[in-house]
Amino acid sequence: MKGLRKVLTPFAPDQSGASGVVYSMGALIVIIDAGGCTGNICGFDELRWRDTRSAVFSAGLRDMDAILGRDELLASKIESAASRIDASFVAIIGTPVPATIGTDYKALKKLISNKVTIPVVAIPTNGMKTYNEGEWEAYKALIDEFAKDSVEDESGEIIVGMTPLTYGDDYMDITLDDIKRIKSSKKLVAASSSGIDACIYSGNDFEIYNPVVRANIPDGITGKTLVCHDEVVGKTIRDAGIDVDIATFFKLHDSIKRDGDRKLTEEDDFVAMVKEGGYDTIVADICLKELVPDFEGKWIDLKCFAVSGRS
């Protein structure tokens, strides 16, 4: 049955990915919801919440707010919050509620911009896509608002897309200053599928690899290997000279895809790939192992926070 999951829990959605990108940028983050999506972000999908704080607010939409489109009320709430918080910019992040009523994010951004003295970034996520797509929407909105065209920047590399939702505790925050110089940085590294999209959009040259995985290729990989994770993890292991097929429940770019690689949609897709592939080793989050209890090869656990919630 299409969409049926008997083992895996829902993956982190796009609004969580968007929030995760701007979380450490000193923004005033406003989730356009009634409260539930904000609770899920802070309570489940944002592992930094346990150690650090960010100004994350819910719009607190009531039924009539959504039905009547009371954008002026929302803008006034944001104006009040911005007057009390030293924020670098306002980030408004969409959920299923504004998607359902057809919110005009350009108009909402303009309305809020007329009330605050800091920049406003609108990220039109809808809660129906996966986290990596929300990360990409956030990068795109940030680049449009802040990236500058300038002479070549000699101040070092920028790693894009190495977020907690993909890499758990092995994340690397991208800063607002990084976004400002992304078009002119001497070295860009795309560390995930959303990082690839962001680097392409920047128009700058970039490399594709995960720096942590490159420095710590999992021990014990033998024979034909399946890596089920973000596509860049699989590519990084493959580039180390290991015979790897890549599987991912997220995006798989044509520039990375080779014969044997597969974009997964259903649990059964993963089950079929393992049964048909004849793999000696699987590198993936341990939560996937329950899908293939008859697999007799070697399993190397590689956590993916957006899939299992394990950091």
Side-chain angles (χ1 to χ4, degrees):
M1 182 185 296
K2 183 176 177 60
L4 176 66
R5 291 189 182 180
K6 296 180 288 185
V7 174
L8 300 179
T9 55
F11 301 149
D14 56 357
Q15 69 251 20
S16 295
S19 176
V21 169
V22 299
Y23 184 85
S24 296
M25 292 185 178
L28 193 166
I29 303 169
V30 182
I31 313 299
I32 312 299
D33 72 334
C37 294
T38 304
N40 285 335
I41 290 170
C42 298
F44 299 99
D45 292 338
E46 183 46 75
L47 66 84
R48 289 165 292 188
W49 192 256
R50 65 195 181 197
D51 299 316
T52 62
R53 290 292 179 264
S54 184
V56 182
F57 290 85
S58 167
L61 296 177
R62 304 279 70 86
D63 290 348
M64 295 309 294
D65 295 335
I67 293 169
L68 299 176
R70 292 172 176 166
D71 295 339
E72 184 67 39
L73 175 60
L74 174 61
S76 295
K77 289 180 180 179
I78 293 173
E79 178 184 21
S80 177
S83 69
R84 294 175 169 85
I85 294 173
D86 182 18
S88 53
F89 62 96
V90 175
I92 53 175
I93 297 176
T95 70
V97 174
T100 300
I101 63 175
T103 294
D104 184 337
Y105 283 94
K106 290 183 179 179
L108 184 58
K109 175 183 175 179
K110 184 175 181 179
L111 178 63
I112 297 168
S113 295
N114 289 333
K115 290 182 175 293
V116 300
T117 59
I118 54 178
V120 177
V121 173
I123 306 173
T125 45
N126 61 19
M128 304 303 292
K129 300 176 182 179
T130 51
Y131 81 97
N132 58 295
E133 295 180 83
E135 290 179 351
W136 154 232
E137 290 285 358
Y139 289 130
K140 180 177 183 294
L142 290 166
I143 291 169
D144 286 343
E145 185 70 26
F146 296 111
K148 300 176 180 178
D149 295 315
S150 61
V151 297
E152 186 174 276
D153 185 346
E154 300 287 344
S155 58
E157 69 180 19
I158 300 174
I159 298 172
V160 187
M162 194 158 177
T163 65
L165 279 169
T166 302
Y167 298 111
D169 289 326
D170 290 325
Y171 66 89
M172 298 180 185
D173 283 326
I174 187 170
T175 67
L176 190 55
D177 284 340
D178 291 334
I179 293 294
K180 291 177 180 178
R181 60 190 183 91
I182 194 170
K183 292 183 178 182
S184 56
S185 176
K186 186 175 181 180
K187 182 178 181 182
L188 289 185
V189 176
S192 68
S193 64
S194 64
I196 294 174
D197 289 329
C199 289
I200 292 172
Y201 191 69
S202 76
N204 199 352
D205 295 333
F206 64 97
E207 299 179 47
I208 303 173
Y209 64 88
N210 175 270
V212 172
V213 175
R214 175 185 271 189
N216 300 276
I217 299 296
D219 293 330
I221 296 178
T222 57
K224 187 178 181 183
T225 300
L226 175 64
V227 176
C228 186
H229 206 283
D230 180 89
E231 60 181 328
V232 177
V233 172
K235 180 185 184 302
T236 304
I237 296 174
R238 174 187 281 162
D239 289 346
I242 298 172
D243 179 17
V244 163
D245 287 345
I246 298 172
T248 181
F249 286 98
F250 307 107
K251 191 168 184 177
L252 182 57
H253 286 81
D254 289 340
S255 60
I256 288 181
K257 186 176 181 181
R258 296 183 183 177
D259 291 342
D261 297 345
R262 187 171 179 182
K263 166 71 170 67
L264 307 176
T265 302
E266 314 291 345
E267 289 182 344
D268 289 345
D269 294 339
F270 178 75
V271 173
M273 192 171 184
V274 172
K275 287 184 177 179
E276 298 165 6
Y279 297 106
D280 301 296
T281 304
I282 294 178
V283 181
D285 196 295
I286 197 68
C287 72
L288 297 176
K289 192 172 184 179
E290 189 176 344
L291 292 171
V292 286
D294 296 330
F295 175 68
E296 297 180 350
K298 186 172 186 177
W299 192 289
I300 297 176
D301 182 22
L302 189 61
K303 295 178 286 188
C304 182
F305 186 64
V307 172
S308 66
R310 299 165 61 233
S311 59

